[in-house]
Amino acid sequence: MIKGKDFWDNISSTYSSGRTNNRKFVLDPALIETIGNVKGKKILDIACGPGDISILLAQKGAICTGIDFSEKMIQKAKEKAKELNLNIDYKLMDSKDIDKIQDKFDVIVIVLMFPFISNFQDFEKIISDAANLLNPGEKLVIGDPHPTFDNYMENRLKTGDFNYFKGRLPYEFHMTIDGKTVGSEAYHWTLTDYTKAFSDANLCLKRIIEPKPIKDAEKEVSSKWLEEKNKYPHYIIFECTKS
């Protein structure tokens, strides 16, 4: 199994070519709504991948910076931004090194990254460093698989072989993009892990969002897919503010 940076480099072309239905119709619309009005705001997109979220925000008038540890993902992001004539500052950087950034931001976005962090020390450090990069009163928005229904829990619930409360457990995950399925290893984190990291970083958890599919999904997905996604939350969004 290919893991870590090698996995993301390996799938950069597939990942940048489209979006999963989960991203397109559930997570991304809810993230954009949670972030709100971004015109003229400075935004940092941590683990930006091929740049889809920062591109959406730049199109709404945000001043965006995106970082990722995958050189190939950053290259894809730069290519997309250039094609759309968007001025986005994409940089090759590991999320564990964001304490080296000298700038301050109005919004920081971290999407689907923490399942790929394998230890709690790094988990806490990234959130603490992100908090330090925020202007006072501004927000950190995190979108991740719902801890109760991530791939670890979803697969293990069927067999009864699970322990929700034991965070940092590795599991295999798969995603399908334009008919092609790819997978690697991720890690299960609990709600307590998240809230402890927020508290230790002096962040205020303003709200939790458990997004459901948008209405437009009905036009492009099967009724079976839609029924399943409306039964329980596949994702969770944390909106935190810096005091």
Side-chain angles (χ1 to χ4, degrees), residues 12 34 67 69 124 129 132 188 236:
S12 59
T34 302
I67 67 155
F69 73 165
E124 278 201 305
D129 290 344
N132 290 334
H188 169 71
I236 190 166

Side-chain angles (χ1 to χ4, degrees), residues 3 26 46 64 73 86 104 111 162 204 211 226 239:
K3 304 176 186 178
V26 183
I46 296 175
C64 293
M73 286 290 190
L86 293 171
K104 294 286 185 180
V111 184
F162 69 91
C204 174
L226 201 58
E239 181 183 352

Side-chain angles (χ1 to χ4, degrees), residues 72-111:
K72 290 187 177 180
M73 286 290 190
I74 286 294
Q75 184 59 41
K76 293 293 183 183
K78 289 180 177 179
E79 290 170 3
K80 284 187 176 184
K82 185 176 181 180
E83 287 174 8
L84 294 167
N85 198 29
L86 293 171
N87 184 21
I88 301 175
D89 184 14
Y90 286 116
K91 300 176 180 179
L92 182 64
M93 177 181 283
D94 194 300
S95 59
K96 295 190 283 289
D97 296 327
I98 59 172
D99 56 338
K100 297 175 183 177
I101 297 175
Q102 299 298 311
D103 213 345
K104 294 286 185 180
F105 299 89
D106 302 309
V107 180
I108 295 178
V109 187
I110 309 177
V111 184

Side-chain angles (χ1 to χ4, degrees), residues 46 93-101 108 110 113-114 117 119-133 140 189 193-194 196-198 200-201 203:
I46 296 175
M93 177 181 283
D94 194 300
S95 59
K96 295 190 283 289
D97 296 327
I98 59 172
D99 56 338
K100 297 175 183 177
I101 297 175
I108 295 178
I110 309 177
M113 186 197 73
F114 287 108
I117 300 299
N119 68 80
F120 192 63
Q121 182 178 355
D122 289 339
F123 189 106
E124 278 201 305
K125 180 182 185 300
I126 293 165
I127 290 178
S128 176
D129 290 344
N132 290 334
L133 292 174
L140 167 66
W189 298 99
D193 291 326
Y194 284 95
K196 181 182 185 305
F198 298 152
D200 290 349
L203 288 166

Side-chain angles (χ1 to χ4, degrees), residues 22-35:
N22 283 334
R23 290 294 303 267
K24 192 188 304 182
F25 299 119
V26 183
L27 181 58
D28 288 4
L31 282 167
I32 298 303
E33 183 179 357
T34 302
I35 293 167

Side-chain angles (χ1 to χ4, degrees), residues 90-207:
Y90 286 116
K91 300 176 180 179
L92 182 64
M93 177 181 283
D94 194 300
S95 59
K96 295 190 283 289
D97 296 327
I98 59 172
D99 56 338
K100 297 175 183 177
I101 297 175
Q102 299 298 311
D103 213 345
K104 294 286 185 180
F105 299 89
D106 302 309
V107 180
I108 295 178
V109 187
I110 309 177
V111 184
L112 301 182
M113 186 197 73
F114 287 108
F116 303 101
I117 300 299
S118 61
N119 68 80
F120 192 63
Q121 182 178 355
D122 289 339
F123 189 106
E124 278 201 305
K125 180 182 185 300
I126 293 165
I127 290 178
S128 176
D129 290 344
N132 290 334
L133 292 174
L134 279 172
N135 286 317
E138 302 297 354
K139 68 172 72 173
L140 167 66
V141 176
I142 295 172
D144 270 339
H146 199 294
T148 312
F149 300 107
D150 60 17
N151 283 154
Y152 167 77
M153 289 296 295
E154 193 172 20
N155 294 335
R156 297 295 184 91
L157 280 168
K158 297 172 184 175
T159 63
D161 177 26
F162 69 91
N163 184 348
Y164 168 82
F165 295 106
K166 189 174 182 181
R168 300 146 238 188
L169 291 174
Y171 63 86
E172 286 188 34
F173 82 97
H174 298 89
M175 57 183 168
T176 302
I177 303 171
D178 293 340
K180 183 175 181 180
T181 299
V182 296
S184 185
E185 184 174 78
Y187 296 86
H188 169 71
W189 298 99
T190 68
L191 285 171
T192 299
D193 291 326
Y194 284 95
T195 56
K196 181 182 185 305
F198 298 152
S199 177
D200 290 349
N202 293 316
L203 288 166
C204 174
L205 179 56
K206 185 177 179 182
R207 60 175 174 153

